[in-house]
Amino acid sequence: MTVEAAWWSSLRDGAVRCELCPLGCRLNQGREGPCGSRANVGGRMAATQYGRLVSAAVDPIEKKPLYHFHPGAAILSVAAQGCNLHCRFCQNWTISQGRDASSSPVTPAQLVARARAEGSLGIAYTYSEPLVWYEFVRDTARLARAAGLKNVVVSNGFLNREPLLDLLPLIDAANVDLKAMDDDFYRKICKARLEPVLRTIRLCREIGTHLEITNLVIPGYNDDDEHLARLVDFVADVGRDVPLHFSAYHPAHRMDAPPTPLETLRRAAALAKRKLDFVYLGNVRIRGAGDTSCPHCGELCVVREGYATRNLLSDGNCCPGCGRKLPLVAA
Ligand code: SF4
């Protein structure tokens, strides 16, 4: 089900320029982009992974992770193959970097029908990098919105401004991966750059898309206090109410640094809590590390054990202790 891509222009001799992400690839005829999702087919840019799902499962929304968007809801979560980053530590590399995962064809209408049949909150575009299968996300999100479903993206945020501005109004919630507050890290470890990711995060906030941020903490790469402080300062500048998830790394793909020690995660959380209201630890079992407490009175509002969620909020999103409204989207 290959369809013509959006966001490209013609060059001489049948080549095309992709204008979707900041890499701006020039592709000669027959060539595929490094994201594995777009190719020059006969002098036109094709979205080669359109509707080719390599994964589809109903997940707790906490697994995205989104902790402040319909806590406890289940959401149909899907992926096609491909990613425009090439992180050495990728935890999902078989579908983000692989080129031979078996896929099942699905149309946007079929996917929306399945989400409704499953009683899902909506559709989460996740696991690999959804923004490189942009056209499928866009077409499905339009239908899902019309059907009263929510659209969620879990993304590396490495996209050009214009495509993002077109897509974001259809997206209800985003978790953006901020891999490091360091352009060198992005260049050397991910083959990308930092600034476009920061721009995406700011744009989500400006447009009003519900936003949460994840940082995978890798020992020896992005875990020193000075670096963590810069990351926290940036998130605090976007909004002290933006939930920040520090996630534990485990050796995968092309990185063999040791797993993140619990002590490192605790140190990151302590540092972040000086400036942010909601800091969570993920990929580990630390009692209380996934709970939401009221930043005003400290009352427990949402309890999370693994992916089991106990919602104690009152009147949708109010603290059960002091009654104040929390920055949390609930039914
Ligand atoms: S989306 Fe893919 S083809 Fe387009 S610029 Fe980025 S990596 Fe290159």
Side-chain angles (χ1 to χ4, degrees):
M1 206 193 307
T2 298
V3 305
E4 185 163 318
W7 307 106
W8 62 278
S9 55
S10 296
L11 301 173
R12 289 171 57 181
D13 302 325
V16 296
R17 170 86 60 205
C18 182
E19 295 163 357
L20 183 63
C21 96
L23 293 182
C25 300
R26 180 191 193 281
L27 302 178
N28 291 329
Q29 288 206 35
R31 299 308 297 242
E32 183 184 72
C35 57
S37 300
R38 315 171 83 73
N40 182 339
V41 179
R44 306 193 71 78
M45 184 69 93
T48 55
Q49 300 302 321
Y50 191 100
R52 294 184 180 172
L53 294 189
V54 294
S55 184
V58 177
D59 283 342
I61 197 152
E62 276 74 14
K63 199 171 173 181
K64 303 303 104 196
L66 285 173
Y67 281 14
H68 287 208
F69 189 74
H70 297 270
I75 190 158
L76 178 59
S77 303
V78 299
Q81 194 169 261
C83 185
N84 49 347
L85 268 59
H86 301 280
C87 305
R88 281 167 46 196
F89 51 84
C90 183
Q91 312 273 301
N92 273 345
W93 64 274
T94 52
I95 56 171
S96 69
Q97 308 299 318
R99 296 290 178 260
D100 52 7
S102 67
S103 63
S104 310
V106 69
T107 65
Q110 287 168 336
L111 191 56
V112 168
R114 178 171 168 188
R116 294 187 72 176
E118 305 259 20
S120 168
L121 173 69
I123 301 171
Y125 312 92
T126 178
Y127 303 134
S128 56
E129 176 44 55
L131 298 185
V132 298
W133 18 288
Y134 181 97
E135 294 77 12
F136 184 72
V137 173
R138 176 199 62 197
D139 295 352
T140 308
R142 274 191 194 131
L143 293 183
R145 171 69 58 82
L149 299 172
K150 305 295 183 198
N151 291 300
V152 164
V153 296
V154 181
S155 172
N156 62 36
F158 193 63
L159 207 75
N160 282 337
R161 186 170 186 276
E162 291 70 24
L164 195 62
L165 284 173
D166 258 24
L167 184 67
L168 276 182
L170 292 169
I171 303 302
D172 298 286
N175 186 303
V176 179
D177 209 0
L178 178 53
K179 295 170 191 292
M181 201 61 190
D182 178 357
D183 194 54
D184 258 13
F185 180 103
Y186 267 91
R187 285 177 189 270
K188 290 178 184 157
I189 311 283
C190 306
K191 306 277 181 258
R193 298 194 303 278
L194 169 64
E195 191 51 43
V197 179
L198 302 184
R199 179 182 63 208
T200 292
I201 289 172
R202 290 197 187 97
L203 275 176
C204 286
R205 185 71 167 183
E206 278 167 38
I207 285 177
T209 306
H210 173 80
L211 170 70
E212 305 195 17
I213 294 173
T214 296
N215 173 242
L216 187 76
V217 183
I218 309 174
Y221 286 86
N222 62 1
D223 66 335
D224 63 88
D225 279 2
E226 189 270 331
H227 172 267
L228 289 168
R230 272 191 285 135
L231 187 135
V232 168
D233 282 347
F234 169 76
V235 178
D237 188 55
V238 175
R240 66 172 296 132
D241 61 332
V242 174
L244 174 60
H245 303 259
F246 286 118
S247 187
Y249 145 94
H250 298 281
H253 195 32
R254 295 190 177 136
M255 187 167 278
D256 58 5
T260 318
L262 294 186
E263 195 39 52
T264 301
L265 293 170
R266 289 199 179 98
R267 174 168 54 81
L271 197 148
K273 281 177 180 173
R274 291 184 209 149
K275 296 193 175 174
L276 300 174
D277 288 339
F278 303 101
V279 180
Y280 301 106
L281 301 182
N283 256 356
V284 282
R285 289 219 167 198
I286 300 178
R287 200 175 173 79
D291 295 347
T292 302
S293 297
C294 175
H296 307 291
C297 70
E299 184 76 15
L300 209 48
C301 299
V302 184
V303 180
R304 299 182 179 88
E305 283 161 16
Y307 292 123
T309 300
R310 198 152 41 92
N311 186 346
L312 306 173
L313 292 158
S314 59
D315 296 332
N317 63 353
C318 293
C319 170
C322 66
R324 287 197 227 192
K325 248 191 180 127
L326 299 186
L328 192 148
V329 182

